[in-house]
Amino acid sequence: MTKLVVRQGPLSTKMYCAIGMVAVSWAHLEEVVSFCLSRLLGVEHVEFLTISANMQVKARLDSIKALAGQKLSSQAAAQTIELCEQAIQLSKERNRILHGSWLQGETPDVGIRLNYRAYGRVTYDSPEMSAKEIAIVASSMNEVGTRMMLNLQQLGLYDPRTPMKAPTPAAETPVSAAS
């Protein structure tokens, strides 16, 4: 087992910035997920926020996957579902980063995240993670959000020139109940 060096005091600015990038990137991805769901439902996004604000992100993503299977062609549904799966994986990493107990590592660009569980017995580990690795997670969140918006645009459900305009029928031919 490798010996970890922990510095006294708060995290470095680099580590705080990287962790903050994850928080901001995740907030944006959450909004994109809500937007995708409102567009697939064909409802006004601002009105839909009254519902999505009370839904966990996992529930929103599961709803998108279900609607994609019902409303989109198999190819478009597969693409949408894959993006949702990527967002679910990023959610797990987001939780580890944002809800972890961080200590400053030996250098300013390395943190040590204490992970522990108390299910029947206490277990723990303390992996190191660099500010760069954390920033890559944030970039991945931004990439998935961008790809979700491009997917909506390709489906005819989003026009970047009038982003809040009411949705129009999907360009994709819906899957019929008979098929």
Side-chain angles (χ1 to χ4, degrees):
M1 187 161 147
T2 307
K3 182 179 177 182
L4 297 174
V5 176
V6 176
R7 298 282 181 209
Q8 291 289 329
L11 292 175
S12 68
T13 301
K14 279 186 177 183
M15 290 301 296
Y16 279 130
C17 288
I19 293 167
M21 285 174 62
V22 168
V24 171
S25 295
W26 182 255
H28 181 257
L29 182 55
E30 273 193 61
E31 180 56 31
V32 168
V33 167
S34 291
F35 192 77
C36 288
L37 186 52
S38 70
R39 293 304 166 137
L40 284 171
L41 286 168
V43 298
E44 290 288 334
H45 180 62
V46 174
E47 289 179 18
F48 181 69
L49 291 175
T50 62
I51 297 167
S52 67
N54 294 302
M55 293 174 72
Q56 296 290 328
V57 174
K58 174 80 166 69
R60 292 181 226 171
L61 289 164
D62 287 343
S63 297
I64 290 171
K65 292 188 315 187
L67 282 167
Q70 290 179 341
K71 291 188 164 195
L72 305 177
S73 70
S74 58
Q75 182 180 2
Q79 183 177 359
T80 301
I81 290 167
E82 175 57 29
L83 288 169
C84 289
E85 291 299 327
Q86 291 174 22
I88 288 167
Q89 291 308 309
L90 288 168
S91 172
K92 293 174 185 175
E93 192 59 32
R94 171 247 185 222
N95 289 341
R96 284 190 285 271
I97 291 169
L98 295 185
H99 298 294
S101 179
W102 288 94
L103 300 170
Q104 182 59 55
E106 189 169 5
T107 64
D109 61 339
V110 173
I112 300 167
R113 185 180 69 221
L114 296 179
N115 299 322
Y116 48 88
R117 292 179 171 248
Y119 298 111
R121 66 185 181 101
V122 175
T123 59
Y124 69 93
D125 66 349
S126 50
E128 284 187 332
M129 194 168 195
S130 71
K132 182 178 180 179
E133 291 169 316
I134 295 170
I136 288 170
V137 172
S139 282
S140 296
M141 291 172 180
N142 294 334
E143 180 183 330
V144 169
T146 298
R147 288 176 46 219
M148 284 181 150
M149 293 304 289
L150 287 172
N151 190 40
L152 283 180
Q153 192 172 355
Q154 290 168 350
L155 294 170
L157 297 174
Y158 171 69
D159 181 352
R161 294 169 295 179
T162 56
M164 298 310 276
K165 183 181 173 200
T168 57
E172 289 284 336
T173 305
V175 175
S176 69
S179 50

